[in-house]
Every structure is written in C-alpha cells, then in structure tokens.
Amino acid sequence: MAEKVICITSGKGGVGKSTVTANISTALAMKGYKVVAIDADIGLRNLDLVLGLENRIVYDIVHVIEGVVPPEKALVKDKRTKNLYLLPAAQTKDKSAVKPEDLVGIVEELRKNYDFIFIDSPAGIEEGFKTAVTPADMVIVVANPEMASIRDADRVVGLCEAMQKEEPKLIINRIDPKKVARGDMLDVEDVLQVLSLDLLGVVPEDKNMVSYINRGEPAVLFPESIAGKALRNVADRILGKDVPFMELKVSEGFFEKLKKLFGSK
C-alpha cells in the first residue's frame, strides 16, 4: 500500500470531514490494519468528540512538536477498536503552531509502524490546509451536493495541483435521494460534471448520524446504518477492492404505485 498517508479535506466547513475521517479510520482498524487519525484542526479540534475520546487526552500534537513527548506517547488508543489511535489537535493554540515541516516529521515517524495515517484537515484553504496536505500521499475531498460546497471543493483541487499533489479523490456526503428526486438537491452526476474527480464514495443522509456523533460512536460500527455501510465501502475502495456503489433511488410510495397500476397521470 503505497498511499499510506491520506488527508481528508474540503474547502467549506460543516461538510462532515471529521465524521468521514473517524469512520474510515475505524472501518480500516476493524479489518485489522493499524491506523492513526491525526486531527490537524489546531484550535478547533473535534475528531476526539466524534471518536468519543475527548476525556482520554493527555498530550496533543503541539506537545509532540515542542518535544514534550514523542509521537507514540501522545497517541490516544481507541476504546472500541484496538488498532486505532488518535493524535489530537491542540485546543489552546492557533494554526500557526504547526508548520508543514512539523507535520511531515511526525508523519514520517509514525509511518514506520502504522498501515494508514489519516489527517483531518481544517476547513478553508489557508495555512492549516497547506500544512495538512503537505505530507499526504492521497488527498480526499469531501463535498456536499450543493453549489457552495462544490465551488469550494473545486478551489481545493486547484490548490492541490499547485502543490504538485496527485488529483484528489471525491466523497459526496449527505446526499438525500428524496431531495434529489424533487430537484431540491444536486445529484451525483451534477457534482461529477463540475468537479471531474474520481468518485471514492457517496454517503447518503442518515437520520441517526447526529446521535452517533453525539455518543462518539462512528456509524461504521452499526450494521443497520446506511451511512455506515457507504463508509465501510469507501474503506474497501481505499484497499483497492472493486465495490459497487449503493443504489440510492427513492422507493415509490403507495399512491404512486396505484397511479401506475391504473394508468393515472
């Protein structure tokens, strides 16, 4: 696996980047891979909350950079998945506390002992974004099916190109088939037409996702979660498996079926 270090990013905040990071990291750890998830959103950390590890943090990434502890000492072991570890962001510093060369050094140290390293990038396209992307072998852009999110994702693609990174992969998050059918939301083809990226995953809206996040339990832990299934599929595609995309069609309601049966218009 050449692409061990994966940065998950977006132009716009609030698209579910940390949730995607937590879920893919957990899914790969559940398969037996050793995984580190790095929260690079300095000053605004929340990857620890999504993983339910907020009360177990002693050291953070800035402690590592300042030489207080080595990277391994700062890692927080996941409480559900034995192969998953979190390197938390510092909550009381700003993004300038971590330089690109600092993160490269940490990643190179961790690369020796882990199968995958995920970097949860801060939102936006400023200094923190460039720091998060610099060590990455692969960049995954998360976008919602709305024009503001897609426009910002397109800017991220341009910046990755300027940084001489390989073209990012795309995850479309929180797509709602009912809204797509009503014309209230862009569909997958619309998004791909604008961004022209390789599609890594389409994650449907899941009514239980807020509850999972509030409990610090990634959706991939729940077989009944439709978003969890989609994110487990993303993990398989990262491993190089050919996994078909889920059908996200809206099922016909009772009255629509009656209309067809009786030929009503």
Side-chain angles (χ1 to χ4, degrees):
M1 290 170 288
E3 294 171 327
K4 293 179 64 167
V5 183
I6 300 171
C7 179
I8 297 184
T9 188
S10 66
K12 182 177 182 292
V15 299
K17 199 168 26 60
S18 296
T19 303
V20 168
T21 303
N23 276 276
I24 299 174
S25 299
T26 301
L28 287 167
M30 288 166 68
K31 293 176 179 293
Y33 294 96
K34 286 189 73 179
V35 183
V36 174
I38 299 176
D39 191 342
D41 197 355
I42 311 303
L44 291 170
R45 73 182 183 207
N46 60 17
L47 189 55
D48 56 315
L49 292 170
V50 183
L51 288 167
L53 298 174
E54 66 275 12
N55 295 323
R56 300 192 176 193
I57 295 172
V58 178
Y59 302 107
D60 58 48
I61 193 168
V62 173
H63 289 121
V64 176
I65 291 164
E66 292 175 344
V68 177
V69 290
E72 289 277 356
K73 183 76 173 176
L75 297 181
V76 182
K77 192 176 186 301
D78 187 56
K79 54 191 177 187
R80 298 179 190 84
T81 316
K82 66 177 183 178
N83 294 318
L84 177 60
Y85 298 83
L86 168 69
L87 179 55
Q91 209 166 11
T92 57
K93 305 284 185 178
D94 62 32
K95 290 173 177 54
S96 64
V98 182
K99 305 293 185 192
E101 58 270 23
D102 296 326
L103 190 56
V104 168
I106 290 170
V107 165
E108 289 308 307
E109 185 67 29
L110 293 171
R111 197 190 271 270
K112 303 169 191 172
N113 298 317
Y114 293 88
D115 298 309
F116 288 99
I117 299 166
F118 285 89
I119 302 170
D120 183 17
S121 166
I125 54 172
E126 306 304 330
E127 185 180 1
F129 161 81
K130 292 174 183 174
T131 296
V133 169
T134 296
D137 304 320
M138 175 197 288
V139 178
I140 297 173
V141 175
V142 180
N144 293 156
E146 55 188 50
M147 280 312 302
S149 176
I150 294 164
R151 181 192 60 196
D152 290 346
D154 204 27
R155 294 180 71 192
V156 166
V157 174
L159 285 170
C160 288
E161 186 177 330
M163 293 174 71
Q164 299 184 316
K165 293 289 180 182
E166 286 190 16
E167 187 174 78
K169 308 293 185 187
L170 175 66
I171 292 177
I172 302 172
N173 193 32
R174 299 187 65 183
I175 196 159
D176 186 332
K178 291 181 180 177
K179 289 183 179 178
V180 171
R182 292 199 306 264
D184 295 336
M185 179 178 279
L186 299 174
D187 65 15
V188 172
E189 289 73 23
D190 294 329
V191 178
L192 292 177
Q193 192 171 6
V194 176
L195 293 177
S196 299
L197 296 176
D198 285 343
L199 186 63
L200 191 62
V202 179
V203 183
E205 186 72 69
D206 188 327
K207 62 179 176 18
N208 294 315
M209 189 60 85
V210 172
S211 174
Y212 297 147
I213 293 168
N214 287 339
R215 299 200 310 263
E217 298 178 327
V220 293
L221 296 169
F222 301 94
E224 70 276 11
S225 168
I226 186 170
K229 180 179 179 183
L231 289 159
R232 287 193 298 272
N233 288 346
V234 170
D236 282 336
R237 293 187 194 107
I238 288 172
L239 294 172
K241 297 179 182 178
D242 185 11
V243 183
F245 288 90
M246 293 164 56
E247 278 287 332
L248 296 176
K249 302 290 184 187
V250 181
S251 58
E252 289 183 318
F254 177 72
F255 291 107
E256 283 75 15
K257 289 178 181 176
L258 275 182
K259 284 179 184 178
K260 282 191 176 181
L261 184 64
F262 293 105
S264 302
K265 294 183 180 178

mmCIF file of all heavy atoms in Angstrom, residues 63-103:
data_model
loop_
_atom_site.group_PDB
_atom_site.id
_atom_site.type_symbol
_atom_site.label_atom_id
_atom_site.label_comp_id
_atom_site.label_asym_id
_atom_site.label_seq_id
_atom_site.Cartn_x
_atom_site.Cartn_y
_atom_site.Cartn_z
ATOM 1 N N HIS A 63 2.377 19.331 21.826
ATOM 2 C CA HIS A 63 3.322 18.752 22.794
ATOM 3 C C HIS A 63 4.403 17.950 22.066
ATOM 4 O O HIS A 63 5.577 17.965 22.454
ATOM 5 C CB HIS A 63 2.597 17.840 23.794
ATOM 6 C CG HIS A 63 1.736 18.572 24.764
ATOM 7 N ND1 HIS A 63 0.383 18.341 24.865
ATOM 8 C CD2 HIS A 63 2.026 19.533 25.678
ATOM 9 C CE1 HIS A 63 -0.121 19.124 25.807
ATOM 10 N NE2 HIS A 63 0.857 19.862 26.302
ATOM 11 N N VAL A 64 4.014 17.259 21.005
ATOM 12 C CA VAL A 64 4.981 16.475 20.215
ATOM 13 C C VAL A 64 5.965 17.416 19.526
ATOM 14 O O VAL A 64 7.183 17.210 19.565
ATOM 15 C CB VAL A 64 4.255 15.593 19.182
ATOM 16 C CG1 VAL A 64 5.269 14.856 18.299
ATOM 17 C CG2 VAL A 64 3.335 14.589 19.875
ATOM 18 N N ILE A 65 5.443 18.454 18.899
ATOM 19 C CA ILE A 65 6.290 19.409 18.175
ATOM 20 C C ILE A 65 7.259 20.116 19.123
ATOM 21 O O ILE A 65 8.423 20.353 18.778
ATOM 22 C CB ILE A 65 5.411 20.435 17.419
ATOM 23 C CG1 ILE A 65 4.676 19.738 16.280
ATOM 24 C CG2 ILE A 65 6.236 21.602 16.888
ATOM 25 C CD1 ILE A 65 3.511 20.520 15.721
ATOM 26 N N GLU A 66 6.796 20.408 20.319
ATOM 27 C CA GLU A 66 7.642 21.103 21.300
ATOM 28 C C GLU A 66 8.622 20.168 21.999
ATOM 29 O O GLU A 66 9.438 20.609 22.819
ATOM 30 C CB GLU A 66 6.764 21.811 22.335
ATOM 31 C CG GLU A 66 5.977 22.988 21.751
ATOM 32 C CD GLU A 66 5.012 23.609 22.740
ATOM 33 O OE1 GLU A 66 4.717 22.961 23.781
ATOM 34 O OE2 GLU A 66 4.536 24.734 22.470
ATOM 35 N N GLY A 67 8.545 18.870 21.687
ATOM 36 C CA GLY A 67 9.480 17.908 22.262
ATOM 37 C C GLY A 67 9.131 17.439 23.657
ATOM 38 O O GLY A 67 9.950 16.806 24.333
ATOM 39 N N VAL A 68 7.919 17.745 24.101
ATOM 40 C CA VAL A 68 7.491 17.301 25.441
ATOM 41 C C VAL A 68 7.389 15.778 25.492
ATOM 42 O O VAL A 68 7.817 15.146 26.468
ATOM 43 C CB VAL A 68 6.132 17.947 25.820
ATOM 44 C CG1 VAL A 68 5.649 17.433 27.177
ATOM 45 C CG2 VAL A 68 6.246 19.464 25.829
ATOM 46 N N VAL A 69 6.825 15.196 24.427
ATOM 47 C CA VAL A 69 6.698 13.739 24.314
ATOM 48 C C VAL A 69 6.941 13.335 22.868
ATOM 49 O O VAL A 69 6.717 14.133 21.946
ATOM 50 C CB VAL A 69 5.293 13.242 24.751
ATOM 51 C CG1 VAL A 69 5.091 13.369 26.247
ATOM 52 C CG2 VAL A 69 4.197 13.961 23.982
ATOM 53 N N PRO A 70 7.364 12.082 22.626
ATOM 54 C CA PRO A 70 7.447 11.584 21.251
ATOM 55 C C PRO A 70 6.042 11.308 20.710
ATOM 56 O O PRO A 70 5.081 11.200 21.495
ATOM 57 C CB PRO A 70 8.263 10.297 21.381
ATOM 58 C CG PRO A 70 8.042 9.847 22.794
ATOM 59 C CD PRO A 70 7.847 11.095 23.606
ATOM 60 N N PRO A 71 5.878 11.169 19.388
ATOM 61 C CA PRO A 71 4.537 10.950 18.818
ATOM 62 C C PRO A 71 3.768 9.795 19.443
ATOM 63 O O PRO A 71 2.585 9.934 19.760
ATOM 64 C CB PRO A 71 4.836 10.690 17.333
ATOM 65 C CG PRO A 71 6.105 11.410 17.073
ATOM 66 C CD PRO A 71 6.905 11.307 18.330
ATOM 67 N N GLU A 72 4.429 8.664 19.644
ATOM 68 C CA GLU A 72 3.738 7.480 20.191
ATOM 69 C C GLU A 72 3.133 7.756 21.564
ATOM 70 O O GLU A 72 2.074 7.249 21.894
ATOM 71 C CB GLU A 72 4.706 6.299 20.276
ATOM 72 C CG GLU A 72 5.093 5.698 18.932
ATOM 73 C CD GLU A 72 4.084 4.696 18.410
ATOM 74 O OE1 GLU A 72 3.104 4.391 19.128
ATOM 75 O OE2 GLU A 72 4.269 4.204 17.284
ATOM 76 N N LYS A 73 3.817 8.578 22.360
ATOM 77 C CA LYS A 73 3.361 8.864 23.729
ATOM 78 C C LYS A 73 2.092 9.713 23.731
ATOM 79 O O LYS A 73 1.285 9.648 24.658
ATOM 80 C CB LYS A 73 4.476 9.595 24.484
ATOM 81 C CG LYS A 73 4.183 9.888 25.933
ATOM 82 C CD LYS A 73 4.312 8.656 26.793
ATOM 83 C CE LYS A 73 4.187 9.019 28.275
ATOM 84 N NZ LYS A 73 4.212 7.819 29.134
ATOM 85 N N ALA A 74 1.902 10.504 22.672
ATOM 86 C CA ALA A 74 0.738 11.400 22.606
ATOM 87 C C ALA A 74 -0.499 10.714 22.039
ATOM 88 O O ALA A 74 -1.602 11.268 22.109
ATOM 89 C CB ALA A 74 1.077 12.624 21.756
ATOM 90 N N LEU A 75 -0.328 9.517 21.479
ATOM 91 C CA LEU A 75 -1.465 8.834 20.853
ATOM 92 C C LEU A 75 -2.478 8.368 21.893
ATOM 93 O O LEU A 75 -2.113 7.860 22.954
ATOM 94 C CB LEU A 75 -0.981 7.634 20.031
ATOM 95 C CG LEU A 75 -0.065 7.939 18.841
ATOM 96 C CD1 LEU A 75 0.310 6.637 18.122
ATOM 97 C CD2 LEU A 75 -0.721 8.911 17.869
ATOM 98 N N VAL A 76 -3.753 8.524 21.553
ATOM 99 C CA VAL A 76 -4.854 8.057 22.404
ATOM 100 C C VAL A 76 -5.437 6.807 21.762
ATOM 101 O O VAL A 76 -5.853 6.827 20.597
ATOM 102 C CB VAL A 76 -5.951 9.129 22.534
ATOM 103 C CG1 VAL A 76 -7.060 8.643 23.464
ATOM 104 C CG2 VAL A 76 -5.365 10.440 23.036
ATOM 105 N N LYS A 77 -5.451 5.718 22.508
ATOM 106 C CA LYS A 77 -5.956 4.449 21.971
ATOM 107 C C LYS A 77 -7.472 4.461 21.941
ATOM 108 O O LYS A 77 -8.111 4.842 22.912
ATOM 109 C CB LYS A 77 -5.457 3.288 22.833
ATOM 110 C CG LYS A 77 -5.677 1.913 22.232
ATOM 111 C CD LYS A 77 -5.055 0.840 23.121
ATOM 112 C CE LYS A 77 -5.135 -0.524 22.471
ATOM 113 N NZ LYS A 77 -6.503 -0.947 22.171
ATOM 114 N N ASP A 78 -8.031 4.052 20.820
ATOM 115 C CA ASP A 78 -9.486 3.983 20.707
ATOM 116 C C ASP A 78 -10.048 2.953 21.680
ATOM 117 O O ASP A 78 -9.427 1.904 21.912
ATOM 118 C CB ASP A 78 -9.869 3.618 19.260
ATOM 119 C CG ASP A 78 -11.360 3.707 19.029
ATOM 120 O OD1 ASP A 78 -11.943 4.777 19.265
ATOM 121 O OD2 ASP A 78 -11.957 2.696 18.616
ATOM 122 N N LYS A 79 -11.210 3.228 22.228
ATOM 123 C CA LYS A 79 -11.752 2.329 23.256
ATOM 124 C C LYS A 79 -12.552 1.170 22.678
ATOM 125 O O LYS A 79 -12.876 0.234 23.389
ATOM 126 C CB LYS A 79 -12.588 3.119 24.263
ATOM 127 C CG LYS A 79 -13.702 3.968 23.687
ATOM 128 C CD LYS A 79 -14.243 4.890 24.777
ATOM 129 C CE LYS A 79 -15.311 5.811 24.241
ATOM 130 N NZ LYS A 79 -15.733 6.809 25.239
ATOM 131 N N ARG A 80 -12.869 1.224 21.375
ATOM 132 C CA ARG A 80 -13.666 0.142 20.769
ATOM 133 C C ARG A 80 -12.866 -0.703 19.787
ATOM 134 O O ARG A 80 -13.116 -1.880 19.622
ATOM 135 C CB ARG A 80 -14.883 0.723 20.046
ATOM 136 C CG ARG A 80 -15.835 1.456 20.955
ATOM 137 C CD ARG A 80 -17.002 2.037 20.188
ATOM 138 N NE ARG A 80 -17.775 2.920 21.042
ATOM 139 C CZ ARG A 80 -17.463 4.195 21.258
ATOM 140 N NH1 ARG A 80 -16.428 4.728 20.656
ATOM 141 N NH2 ARG A 80 -18.190 4.939 22.060
ATOM 142 N N THR A 81 -11.921 -0.065 19.112
ATOM 143 C CA THR A 81 -11.186 -0.732 18.045
ATOM 144 C C THR A 81 -9.707 -0.736 18.406
ATOM 145 O O THR A 81 -9.073 0.315 18.449
ATOM 146 C CB THR A 81 -11.389 0.021 16.702
ATOM 147 O OG1 THR A 81 -12.769 0.351 16.572
ATOM 148 C CG2 THR A 81 -10.962 -0.825 15.530
ATOM 149 N N LYS A 82 -9.160 -1.894 18.660
ATOM 150 C CA LYS A 82 -7.826 -1.966 19.275
ATOM 151 C C LYS A 82 -6.709 -1.446 18.382
ATOM 152 O O LYS A 82 -5.639 -1.086 18.877
ATOM 153 C CB LYS A 82 -7.519 -3.403 19.707
ATOM 154 C CG LYS A 82 -7.379 -4.401 18.559
ATOM 155 C CD LYS A 82 -7.013 -5.769 19.077
ATOM 156 C CE LYS A 82 -6.799 -6.759 17.933
ATOM 157 N NZ LYS A 82 -6.398 -8.088 18.416
ATOM 158 N N ASN A 83 -6.923 -1.366 17.071
ATOM 159 C CA ASN A 83 -5.856 -0.946 16.162
ATOM 160 C C ASN A 83 -5.914 0.534 15.787
ATOM 161 O O ASN A 83 -5.158 0.975 14.922
ATOM 162 C CB ASN A 83 -5.907 -1.774 14.870
ATOM 163 C CG ASN A 83 -5.595 -3.227 15.129
ATOM 164 O OD1 ASN A 83 -4.694 -3.546 15.876
ATOM 165 N ND2 ASN A 83 -6.358 -4.108 14.508
ATOM 166 N N LEU A 84 -6.810 1.303 16.397
ATOM 167 C CA LEU A 84 -6.985 2.705 16.035
ATOM 168 C C LEU A 84 -6.456 3.631 17.131
ATOM 169 O O LEU A 84 -6.722 3.411 18.313
ATOM 170 C CB LEU A 84 -8.469 3.004 15.792
ATOM 171 C CG LEU A 84 -8.835 4.464 15.474
ATOM 172 C CD1 LEU A 84 -8.137 4.953 14.209
ATOM 173 C CD2 LEU A 84 -10.347 4.603 15.326
ATOM 174 N N TYR A 85 -5.724 4.659 16.690
ATOM 175 C CA TYR A 85 -5.150 5.631 17.623
ATOM 176 C C TYR A 85 -5.416 7.044 17.106
ATOM 177 O O TYR A 85 -5.445 7.278 15.900
ATOM 178 C CB TYR A 85 -3.631 5.421 17.752
ATOM 179 C CG TYR A 85 -3.271 4.062 18.297
ATOM 180 C CD1 TYR A 85 -3.201 2.958 17.451
ATOM 181 C CD2 TYR A 85 -3.021 3.870 19.652
ATOM 182 C CE1 TYR A 85 -2.879 1.697 17.935
ATOM 183 C CE2 TYR A 85 -2.692 2.608 20.146
ATOM 184 C CZ TYR A 85 -2.630 1.530 19.284
ATOM 185 O OH TYR A 85 -2.323 0.284 19.768
ATOM 186 N N LEU A 86 -5.580 7.974 18.038
ATOM 187 C CA LEU A 86 -5.814 9.380 17.712
ATOM 188 C C LEU A 86 -4.647 10.233 18.185
ATOM 189 O O LEU A 86 -4.202 10.098 19.330
ATOM 190 C CB LEU A 86 -7.099 9.859 18.400
ATOM 191 C CG LEU A 86 -7.350 11.379 18.406
ATOM 192 C CD1 LEU A 86 -7.670 11.886 17.001
ATOM 193 C CD2 LEU A 86 -8.472 11.727 19.375
ATOM 194 N N LEU A 87 -4.164 11.111 17.303
ATOM 195 C CA LEU A 87 -3.242 12.169 17.719
ATOM 196 C C LEU A 87 -4.053 13.461 17.729
ATOM 197 O O LEU A 87 -4.391 13.999 16.669
ATOM 198 C CB LEU A 87 -2.055 12.280 16.759
ATOM 199 C CG LEU A 87 -1.030 13.387 17.092
ATOM 200 C CD1 LEU A 87 -0.494 13.239 18.524
ATOM 201 C CD2 LEU A 87 0.118 13.379 16.087
ATOM 202 N N PRO A 88 -4.408 13.957 18.918
ATOM 203 C CA PRO A 88 -5.339 15.095 18.996
ATOM 204 C C PRO A 88 -4.687 16.414 18.584
ATOM 205 O O PRO A 88 -3.471 16.593 18.687
ATOM 206 C CB PRO A 88 -5.719 15.134 20.484
ATOM 207 C CG PRO A 88 -5.131 13.910 21.109
ATOM 208 C CD PRO A 88 -4.009 13.469 20.245
ATOM 209 N N ALA A 89 -5.527 17.337 18.157
ATOM 210 C CA ALA A 89 -5.091 18.715 17.929
ATOM 211 C C ALA A 89 -5.000 19.437 19.273
ATOM 212 O O ALA A 89 -5.612 19.022 20.257
ATOM 213 C CB ALA A 89 -6.078 19.436 17.015
ATOM 214 N N ALA A 90 -4.214 20.512 19.293
ATOM 215 C CA ALA A 90 -4.168 21.368 20.481
ATOM 216 C C ALA A 90 -5.377 22.288 20.460
ATOM 217 O O ALA A 90 -5.747 22.813 19.411
ATOM 218 C CB ALA A 90 -2.883 22.194 20.473
ATOM 219 N N GLN A 91 -5.978 22.488 21.613
ATOM 220 C CA GLN A 91 -7.193 23.297 21.685
ATOM 221 C C GLN A 91 -6.905 24.756 22.027
ATOM 222 O O GLN A 91 -7.724 25.627 21.775
ATOM 223 C CB GLN A 91 -8.132 22.688 22.730
ATOM 224 C CG GLN A 91 -9.593 22.937 22.436
ATOM 225 C CD GLN A 91 -10.497 22.054 23.276
ATOM 226 O OE1 GLN A 91 -10.066 21.399 24.209
ATOM 227 N NE2 GLN A 91 -11.772 22.037 22.949
ATOM 228 N N THR A 92 -5.729 25.020 22.570
ATOM 229 C CA THR A 92 -5.431 26.376 23.054
ATOM 230 C C THR A 92 -4.394 27.090 22.195
ATOM 231 O O THR A 92 -3.863 28.124 22.585
ATOM 232 C CB THR A 92 -4.923 26.320 24.505
ATOM 233 O OG1 THR A 92 -3.780 25.467 24.561
ATOM 234 C CG2 THR A 92 -6.001 25.785 25.431
ATOM 235 N N LYS A 93 -4.080 26.548 21.026
ATOM 236 C CA LYS A 93 -3.118 27.169 20.116
ATOM 237 C C LYS A 93 -3.837 27.575 18.835
ATOM 238 O O LYS A 93 -4.995 27.219 18.610
ATOM 239 C CB LYS A 93 -1.992 26.185 19.770
ATOM 240 C CG LYS A 93 -1.271 25.611 20.980
ATOM 241 C CD LYS A 93 -0.311 26.598 21.592
ATOM 242 C CE LYS A 93 0.486 25.966 22.727
ATOM 243 N NZ LYS A 93 1.460 26.880 23.309
ATOM 244 N N ASP A 94 -3.132 28.307 17.957
ATOM 245 C CA ASP A 94 -3.717 28.579 16.645
ATOM 246 C C ASP A 94 -2.964 27.780 15.578
ATOM 247 O O ASP A 94 -1.981 27.104 15.869
ATOM 248 C CB ASP A 94 -3.731 30.078 16.327
ATOM 249 C CG ASP A 94 -2.337 30.688 16.276
ATOM 250 O OD1 ASP A 94 -1.387 29.988 15.894
ATOM 251 O OD2 ASP A 94 -2.199 31.876 16.624
ATOM 252 N N LYS A 95 -3.443 27.883 14.352
ATOM 253 C CA LYS A 95 -2.933 27.025 13.281
ATOM 254 C C LYS A 95 -1.452 27.245 12.980
ATOM 255 O O LYS A 95 -0.787 26.375 12.449
ATOM 256 C CB LYS A 95 -3.777 27.212 12.020
ATOM 257 C CG LYS A 95 -5.171 26.617 12.182
ATOM 258 C CD LYS A 95 -6.085 26.934 11.019
ATOM 259 C CE LYS A 95 -7.443 26.265 11.186
ATOM 260 N NZ LYS A 95 -8.115 26.563 12.443
ATOM 261 N N SER A 96 -0.923 28.412 13.345
ATOM 262 C CA SER A 96 0.487 28.688 13.091
ATOM 263 C C SER A 96 1.412 27.869 13.996
ATOM 264 O O SER A 96 2.625 27.821 13.781
ATOM 265 C CB SER A 96 0.774 30.184 13.293
ATOM 266 O OG SER A 96 0.559 30.549 14.647
ATOM 267 N N ALA A 97 0.844 27.193 15.004
ATOM 268 C CA ALA A 97 1.654 26.390 15.929
ATOM 269 C C ALA A 97 2.205 25.130 15.272
ATOM 270 O O ALA A 97 3.148 24.518 15.784
ATOM 271 C CB ALA A 97 0.834 26.020 17.164
ATOM 272 N N VAL A 98 1.604 24.721 14.148
ATOM 273 C CA VAL A 98 2.055 23.528 13.438
ATOM 274 C C VAL A 98 2.426 23.914 12.012
ATOM 275 O O VAL A 98 1.571 24.332 11.229
ATOM 276 C CB VAL A 98 0.963 22.434 13.422
ATOM 277 C CG1 VAL A 98 1.489 21.178 12.721
ATOM 278 C CG2 VAL A 98 0.514 22.096 14.839
ATOM 279 N N LYS A 99 3.692 23.783 11.676
ATOM 280 C CA LYS A 99 4.186 24.100 10.340
ATOM 281 C C LYS A 99 4.177 22.834 9.480
ATOM 282 O O LYS A 99 4.198 21.717 10.019
ATOM 283 C CB LYS A 99 5.617 24.655 10.411
ATOM 284 C CG LYS A 99 5.787 25.849 11.329
ATOM 285 C CD LYS A 99 5.050 27.066 10.802
ATOM 286 C CE LYS A 99 5.327 28.294 11.659
ATOM 287 N NZ LYS A 99 4.420 29.401 11.334
ATOM 288 N N PRO A 100 4.181 22.996 8.150
ATOM 289 C CA PRO A 100 4.210 21.807 7.283
ATOM 290 C C PRO A 100 5.345 20.842 7.614
ATOM 291 O O PRO A 100 5.136 19.620 7.671
ATOM 292 C CB PRO A 100 4.371 22.406 5.881
ATOM 293 C CG PRO A 100 3.748 23.753 5.978
ATOM 294 C CD PRO A 100 4.049 24.237 7.359
ATOM 295 N N GLU A 101 6.537 21.386 7.880
ATOM 296 C CA GLU A 101 7.679 20.510 8.170
ATOM 297 C C GLU A 101 7.497 19.770 9.499
ATOM 298 O O GLU A 101 8.007 18.650 9.680
ATOM 299 C CB GLU A 101 8.988 21.292 8.158
ATOM 300 C CG GLU A 101 9.067 22.452 9.143
ATOM 301 C CD GLU A 101 8.578 23.786 8.579
ATOM 302 O OE1 GLU A 101 7.780 23.783 7.614
ATOM 303 O OE2 GLU A 101 9.001 24.839 9.109
ATOM 304 N N ASP A 102 6.765 20.389 10.449
ATOM 305 C CA ASP A 102 6.475 19.706 11.722
ATOM 306 C C ASP A 102 5.614 18.472 11.484
ATOM 307 O O ASP A 102 5.894 17.387 12.012
ATOM 308 C CB ASP A 102 5.732 20.652 12.678
ATOM 309 C CG ASP A 102 6.549 21.857 13.098
ATOM 310 O OD1 ASP A 102 7.778 21.726 13.237
ATOM 311 O OD2 ASP A 102 5.959 22.933 13.282
ATOM 312 N N LEU A 103 4.560 18.653 10.703
ATOM 313 C CA LEU A 103 3.644 17.533 10.445
ATOM 314 C C LEU A 103 4.322 16.456 9.607
ATOM 315 O O LEU A 103 4.116 15.261 9.844
ATOM 316 C CB LEU A 103 2.374 18.040 9.748
ATOM 317 C CG LEU A 103 1.236 17.029 9.642
ATOM 318 C CD1 LEU A 103 0.836 16.483 11.012
ATOM 319 C CD2 LEU A 103 0.014 17.655 8.972
#
